[in-house]
Amino acid sequence: MQHLPELKALEQLIRAHPDRLRVSVPAIVGPGEGYPVYALELGRATDDCPAIGFFGGVHGNERIGSQVVLAWLRTLLEQLRWDEALQGLLERSRLLFMPLLNPAGMAMNRRANGQGIDLMRNAPIESASAHWLLGGQRLSRHLPWYRGKAGELAPENRALVETVRKRLLNAPVSAALDCHSGFGFENRIWFPFAHSREPIPHLAEVFALRKLFRRSYPNHVTYRIEPQCQHYMTHGDIWDFLYLESLEHPQRTFLPLTLEMGSWLWVRKNPRQMFARTGLFNPLQPHRLRRILRQHLTWCDFLTRAIASHRLWLPALQDRHHMEEKARIYWRGHYAPEANDGPGAPFP
């Protein structure tokens, strides 16, 4: 079994904080003795509280996603030693962490898992407009974006689905942040759908969350917040699958989000890293890695506090229609700057 620095760092945190972390291993994957897929919890253990999950390493060649989640977990654990406000927040909310979902793929430095399955094309959900090949294929595991056999979830996705069902979908309000790196020069926050161009039923809630972030952090214009289908559509998106399942309980709200870090920024600043084994999707310069880990902790902290305090910003029933209409207009590209959004803000 190949050594993984991210797995070592995670297990060190587990050993250092046995009194704070509730730890489970919903799957062991990969060859030989295999790699554990850990799920860790902080905060309240009952289902009657808001909850948020942080996920990384779904694609094994995107190590930076795991590193962002680990950095956020490490920060929280240190702050809990002295921060009474954070201690109070965790008495009324729950945090879930799965920082390394695809350890076998990471050990091989490839996007797919140890069986050649792309975990973001593997769910039993079909798209009428998915891009050929990029949107997922069942021709061969030797080709990219292989979906696996029809009707079979990969073991990593079984662990993810089982954990999200138990720890997030039972909560009255919950969210998920899945951390990736991808092509492009901008950092993006994607929300469903990936399989359809239909607006999600919780479009008003996502728009309210976006407004809340822009008002709270007017100088942190780092993210383009948008539906994934604006860029490309796929079969088998696991977050589409879980979001659709959450709609079976209309009294609950589940907001799955994906952080897509723009890796072309790192390549543009250091073109030589294109020729490094892990350089296309991960920053290689130590100072750039530290900057990225600092940068995205703001978003993680915002989401944690927003979900815990959802009663103060989620649109009320009588306001949802108006908020949804504004969201539909905005994400059609006809955005008119709002007075509270601040002047000259370049990103939605």
Side-chain angles (χ1 to χ4, degrees):
M1 187 171 70
Q2 185 172 331
H3 170 70
L4 285 175
E6 290 80 7
L7 182 58
K8 180 180 178 181
L10 175 57
E11 292 179 336
Q12 286 175 341
L13 287 175
I14 292 171
R15 289 192 297 269
H17 301 276
D19 55 330
R20 294 201 182 276
L21 291 169
R22 300 188 296 276
V23 182
S24 61
V25 181
I28 296 178
V29 300
E33 296 180 0
Y35 298 91
V37 175
Y38 285 104
L40 298 79
E41 285 184 274
L42 279 172
R44 192 163 169 174
T46 58
D47 293 336
D48 60 346
C49 66
I52 182 168
F54 297 91
F55 305 85
V58 173
H59 294 143
N61 58 349
E62 300 175 14
R63 310 179 85 101
I64 186 63
S66 289
Q67 292 165 355
V68 167
V69 176
L70 286 170
W72 176 227
L73 175 59
R74 185 179 295 109
T75 294
L76 285 170
L77 290 169
E78 290 301 320
Q79 286 182 339
L80 280 170
R81 299 180 188 274
W82 55 267
D83 190 337
E84 291 182 347
L86 180 59
Q87 293 168 6
L89 183 145
L90 290 184
E91 288 176 0
R92 54 187 174 87
S93 63
R94 180 171 64 255
L95 276 64
L96 168 69
F97 296 85
M98 297 185 76
L100 191 51
L101 270 161
N102 183 11
M106 189 172 291
M108 294 180 282
N109 189 40
R110 71 179 188 184
R111 177 184 171 97
N113 73 353
Q115 301 167 312
I117 299 171
D118 188 325
L119 300 180
M120 282 295 111
R121 304 291 187 272
N122 177 233
I125 187 167
E126 306 297 321
S127 171
S129 305
H131 293 67
W132 182 80
L133 199 63
L134 172 64
Q137 53 84 20
R138 288 202 169 98
L139 301 173
S140 171
R141 65 184 180 88
H142 301 293
L143 295 173
W145 304 296
Y146 177 56
R147 298 187 62 190
K149 294 181 180 178
E152 291 186 14
L153 281 178
E156 296 87 352
N157 272 341
R158 289 200 300 270
L160 173 63
V161 168
E162 172 190 340
T163 304
V164 169
R165 283 172 175 167
K166 291 180 179 178
R167 307 306 181 198
L168 296 184
L169 298 191
N170 285 338
V173 174
S174 61
L177 182 68
D178 185 12
C179 298
H180 292 252
S181 63
F183 291 110
F185 293 105
E186 295 174 299
N187 297 313
R188 302 175 186 273
I189 302 295
W190 282 346
F191 58 88
F193 290 120
H195 78 284
S196 169
R197 295 193 183 278
E198 288 295 316
I200 63 172
H202 290 96
L203 194 67
E205 285 75 9
V206 174
F207 191 65
L209 184 70
R210 170 211 161 262
K211 286 174 63 69
L212 185 69
F213 181 71
R214 291 297 304 279
R215 290 174 172 175
S216 302
Y217 298 91
N219 299 313
H220 197 86
V221 287
T222 305
Y223 304 108
R224 183 178 292 275
I225 302 173
E226 59 194 0
Q228 180 178 339
C229 64
Q230 285 195 357
H231 292 274
Y232 61 88
M233 299 175 67
T234 74
H235 305 294
D237 186 274
I238 196 68
W239 294 113
D240 279 15
F241 174 70
L242 285 164
Y243 176 72
L244 288 172
E245 183 174 312
S246 76
L247 298 180
E248 297 173 7
H249 303 279
Q251 73 278 17
R252 302 172 188 162
T253 298
F254 175 54
L255 304 177
L257 307 170
T258 298
L259 167 59
E260 284 279 333
M261 291 171 266
S263 64
W264 285 4
L265 286 169
W266 317 326
V267 175
R268 182 176 63 183
K269 293 178 179 179
N270 182 24
R272 289 180 298 176
Q273 80 172 54
M274 290 184 64
F275 305 101
R277 183 170 179 265
T278 61
L280 193 58
F281 295 101
N282 304 282
L284 298 185
Q285 297 292 337
H287 71 279
R288 191 161 293 127
L289 173 61
R290 290 193 296 269
R291 184 184 305 133
I292 291 163
L293 296 182
R294 291 195 304 270
Q295 179 186 69
H296 297 301
L297 291 193
T298 300
W299 177 253
C300 294
D301 182 69
F302 163 74
L303 283 181
T304 299
R305 297 179 183 280
I307 295 303
S309 304
H310 62 89
R311 292 182 179 87
L312 299 179
W313 62 269
L314 278 180
L317 183 62
Q318 64 271 21
D319 299 326
R320 287 193 78 257
H321 178 74
H322 175 66
M323 186 73 75
E324 182 173 333
E325 286 300 309
K326 292 181 70 175
R328 286 174 179 267
I329 293 171
Y330 175 74
W331 276 304
R332 277 205 305 262
H334 305 292
Y335 173 58
E338 300 168 62
N340 291 324
D341 267 357
F347 293 165

